[in-house]
Amino acid sequence: MAQYIMKGGNPLVGEVSISGAKNAALGILAASVMADEDVLIENLPDVQDINMMLDAIREIGADVMRLDTHTVRINGKGIRELSVESENMTRIRASYYLIGALLGKYGRADVPMPGGCEIGQRPIDQHLKGFRALGAEVEIVNGRIRVESKKLRGEHIFFDVVSVGATINVMMAAALSEGRTILENAAKEPHIVDVANFLNSMGANIKGAGTDVIRIVGVPRFHAATYSIIPDQIEAGTFMFAAAITRGDIMVKNLIPKHMEAISAKLIEMGCEVLEFDDAIRVVGTPRLRPVNVKTLPYPGFPTDMQPQVGTAMALARGVSVLTESIFESRYRYLRELSAMGACSKVEGNTAIITGVEKFTGAEIHACDLRAGAALVLAGLAAEGITTISDIHFIQRGYEHFEEKLRALGAVIELANNERDLRKFMMVAG
Ligand code: UD1
């Protein structure tokens, strides 16, 4: 099984360019099958989750042509199969977007229950509530979600919880329904705006995405479009925290500074210098971070997908930080891994109390999920000595060429596929 092996201690210094947003791309790829004409999608991130989604839409009959690593042309005209069988779809969270897309276009879908990182219960009741409100019958049988409707009609829907997935999913189905839909208590994350903009580029009539009320007037069909995906807010935030954790100096390029405000504010509070440019942010680390308190919240609050990265930085701060996770209930497993590197923390309910230490030391640890895995790599790069991280398939699901981007910043890190690779690394770097 592949591992990362790294020798820590080098401050990461230099420039890094951010790829397209994985979570926006997943919604956009699912939505692209709703058109019967060519849809060209640019700035696609080259990560596993995206490849799995492309395979799934190819398997149901969409024409998928990868023009280059970051560009794909999709045409949903050939879709004959509304039952998604791809085994990969049980592994990723965003498989549920095919329900909204197929229900909106064909009035029917049959999709396996979604997978994704094990960071909490992750119910989908709000998605189903929205589909039912639009007039669909919904049943869950043998681990599959089946939805069917003779005619979808616009509705006034009030979400009980702020959910990124439910907002995108119901928005997609409503975009091809009859009449007006109003989504209240909608999520406001940047990728919701991106999916809405993409749907509008295919002819949808969606207003208000990015606020908590989204208004949709259904249209009968979509047409051809060309669309470029926004930069990944979480990948950008991860590299910004890489500068803080390794006491480095990183120019993070190709991002949207507005999307980074909660993250920039915390880095400044921790003592880093944060310089903002039109489409870049430079973060200059500090010899010792200051402790802070963070509570994860829906956008524009501090993102839950940045919680392990800020938790790792807190573990190196001078003093006690309080971290509260308010979105998912099982997102602290990385703290156990960090403790093997010398970190000191205590979890009580959804709160972690983290007492900073002066340094981490290398250890053999494993990536518990996608974002935790990335944070642990940053910890390993800050640690004294050698760290190995197993289960890196989690990280490869969502970070494009992670180790290569880190190496370009001066990190001593290799992908090791076997014992021989590990020994070779030790001989050269150990
Ligand atoms: C998406 C992101 C994930 C990110 C999360 C929050 C994708 C593929 N994944 O996940 O990386 O961490 O947003 O920003 O885009 N909930 C319900 N019922 C529902 C749906 C959600 O109770 O029907 C709850 C969840 O358990 C959670 C909260 O609402 O407590 C937010 O979840 P949601 O925003 O839906 O997350 P995902 O869309 O799964």
Side-chain angles (χ1 to χ4, degrees):
M1 237 0 197
Q3 296 181 9
Y4 281 139
I5 181 162
M6 65 204 80
K7 185 175 180 187
N10 282 2
L12 298 189
V13 177
E15 292 183 358
V16 64
S17 186
I18 297 307
S19 302
K22 170 186 81 89
N23 287 347
L26 289 166
I28 286 171
L29 289 179
S32 70
V33 306
M34 298 172 84
D36 282 343
E37 297 178 17
D38 279 1
V39 172
L40 190 74
I41 300 164
E42 298 166 341
N43 202 30
L44 199 66
D46 185 21
V47 295
Q48 300 265 334
D49 275 17
I50 296 299
N51 296 328
M52 288 192 206
M53 181 62 99
L54 286 173
D55 285 347
I57 62 179
R58 196 179 278 119
E59 278 172 35
I60 56 173
D63 183 30
V64 177
M65 172 74 96
R66 196 81 179 246
L67 301 181
D68 62 47
T69 322
H70 298 115
T71 314
V72 67
R73 195 180 60 215
I74 295 171
N75 189 321
K77 195 171 170 188
I79 292 179
R80 301 279 172 266
E81 188 51 76
L82 302 179
S83 174
V84 180
E85 300 298 337
S86 172
E87 202 187 306
N88 284 336
M89 286 295 93
T90 57
R91 301 212 178 102
I92 67 172
R93 187 83 201 139
S95 54
Y96 54 37
Y97 289 143
L98 286 172
I99 309 175
L102 296 175
L103 176 67
K105 187 178 180 194
Y106 299 104
R108 192 160 67 78
D110 179 343
V111 174
M113 287 292 276
C117 287
E118 286 184 23
I119 52 182
Q121 269 197 29
R122 311 188 82 175
I124 54 162
D125 57 301
Q126 297 304 304
H127 303 236
L128 306 186
K129 169 180 162 165
F131 297 142
R132 285 193 179 105
L134 295 176
E137 292 202 2
V138 179
E139 55 172 4
I140 299 183
V141 187
N142 302 332
R144 300 184 65 84
I145 306 157
R146 293 186 183 146
V147 291
E148 188 155 7
S149 154
K150 290 217 166 50
K151 184 165 270 182
L152 287 182
R153 280 182 207 283
E155 240 322 329
H156 196 147
I157 300 167
F158 202 108
F159 289 117
D160 303 317
V161 296
V162 178
S163 160
V164 172
T167 303
I168 291 179
N169 225 344
V170 180
M171 180 170 77
M172 288 199 292
L176 283 184
S177 69
E178 216 178 82
R180 284 170 192 276
T181 294
I182 301 176
L183 303 180
E184 302 232 35
N185 200 22
K188 298 180 277 198
E189 268 68 2
H191 44 298
I192 288 172
V193 181
D194 211 35
V195 177
N197 285 343
F198 170 65
L199 289 166
N200 285 341
S201 78
M202 294 195 294
N205 182 344
I206 300 172
K207 296 198 172 92
T211 74
D212 50 17
V213 183
I214 300 180
R215 293 168 198 277
I216 303 157
V217 180
V219 296
R221 71 190 61 80
F222 288 159
H223 52 66
T226 296
Y227 195 80
S228 182
I229 294 166
I230 51 165
D232 197 302
Q233 177 208 27
I234 305 301
E235 188 199 10
T238 302
F239 280 102
M240 287 166 69
F241 265 91
I245 291 167
T246 68
R247 304 179 178 113
D249 179 348
I250 303 179
M251 178 72 93
V252 187
K253 294 169 71 175
N254 186 35
L255 51 66
I256 298 175
K258 175 84 191 145
H259 294 167
M260 310 309 302
E261 281 172 352
I263 295 161
S264 296
K266 265 316 143 188
L267 285 166
I268 292 168
E269 219 180 307
M270 296 187 91
C272 296
E273 200 181 339
V274 176
L275 304 158
E276 205 177 289
F277 303 90
D278 284 350
D279 64 351
I281 291 181
R282 178 178 166 198
V283 180
V284 185
T286 169
R288 193 78 200 267
L289 293 163
R290 287 198 287 266
V292 282
N293 297 336
V294 168
K295 182 175 184 179
T296 62
L297 287 169
Y299 189 82
F302 193 90
T304 173
D305 283 358
M306 286 298 302
Q307 189 257 97
Q309 298 85 321
V310 74
T312 301
M314 287 170 169
L316 286 171
R318 188 195 298 277
V320 181
S321 298
V322 179
L323 182 55
T324 307
E325 172 55 61
S326 72
I327 314 283
F328 294 112
E329 63 269 27
S330 317
R331 228 176 173 173
Y332 285 133
R333 284 178 301 168
Y334 69 97
L335 288 173
R336 212 175 41 218
E337 303 299 309
L338 273 187
S339 68
M341 306 176 81
C344 177
S345 63
K346 195 165 89 178
V347 175
E348 282 174 10
N350 68 344
T351 300
I353 296 148
I354 302 175
T355 306
V357 294
E358 216 172 307
K359 63 172 197 297
F360 294 149
T361 49
E364 282 178 28
I365 54 178
H366 82 274
C368 339
D369 61 64
L370 167 59
R371 307 302 173 185
L376 291 170
V377 169
L378 302 185
L381 293 174
E384 206 174 83
I386 303 285
T387 294
T388 56
I389 303 191
S390 55
D391 290 333
I392 60 165
H393 55 94
F394 284 118
I395 304 170
Q396 291 166 330
R397 281 188 35 207
Y399 285 90
E400 179 170 323
H401 306 149
F402 196 41
E403 69 275 16
E404 286 159 35
K405 289 188 182 187
L406 290 167
R407 266 201 301 270
L409 295 168
V412 182
I413 179 170
E414 289 293 339
L415 183 75
N417 287 307
N418 48 44
E419 276 298 317
R420 211 170 119 242
D421 291 346
L422 290 174
R423 278 201 302 275
K424 197 168 133 206
F425 180 91
M426 293 300 284
M427 266 167 60
V428 177

